[in-house]
Amino acid sequence: MGLTSLKKQKRPIYYLDETWVNAGHTVGKVWDETTVKSRKHAFIEGLSTGAKNPTSKGNRIIVLHIGSDRGFVSDSALVFECKGTGDYHESMNANTF
């Protein structure tokens, strides 16, 4: 049964994927909050003054989830620290999956 016929039958279609992220990943662009005037003001408001600059990539985290056009499936996320030193597939294998 093909994807098109499943869609015509209005059957749910689920997508599953995995990826990884290093704890020290940062982006070059940031949101510039103009209403916070000082670190003290941010603290009082319960806000952060920004991420600290990482000194390395940090630990690698593996993320796996499943969802559909209705959102993610409840209690189906798998997130864990990678223990391997090379390709993250050392930690994401058939047994873990």
Side-chain angles (χ1 to χ4, degrees):
M1 189 175 287
L3 185 60
T4 304
S5 63
L6 292 172
K7 286 182 178 182
K8 284 181 182 178
Q9 294 174 25
K10 299 194 186 291
R11 294 182 63 178
I13 298 169
Y14 292 91
Y15 301 91
L16 172 70
D17 203 4
E18 51 157 288
T19 190
W20 60 269
V21 63
N22 285 329
H25 271 176
T26 60
V27 294
K29 298 178 183 179
V30 296
W31 172 35
D32 188 16
E33 171 58 68
T34 58
T35 61
V36 175
K37 302 302 180 195
S38 68
R39 287 184 179 272
K40 183 177 180 180
H41 181 219
F43 177 78
I44 291 168
E45 295 292 324
L47 302 172
S48 167
T49 56
K52 304 283 187 265
N53 291 332
T55 57
S56 69
K57 288 184 176 181
N59 297 341
R60 186 176 295 160
I61 305 297
I62 308 290
V63 179
L64 180 126
H65 216 320
I66 185 170
S68 70
D69 62 348
R70 298 176 187 164
F72 287 110
V73 175
S74 296
D75 300 322
S76 65
L78 175 61
V79 180
F80 63 96
E81 185 179 346
C82 179
K83 298 297 183 188
T85 57
D87 188 322
Y88 78 98
H89 288 99
E90 293 174 8
S91 294
M92 176 49 77
N93 54 38
N95 291 334
T96 305
F97 186 83

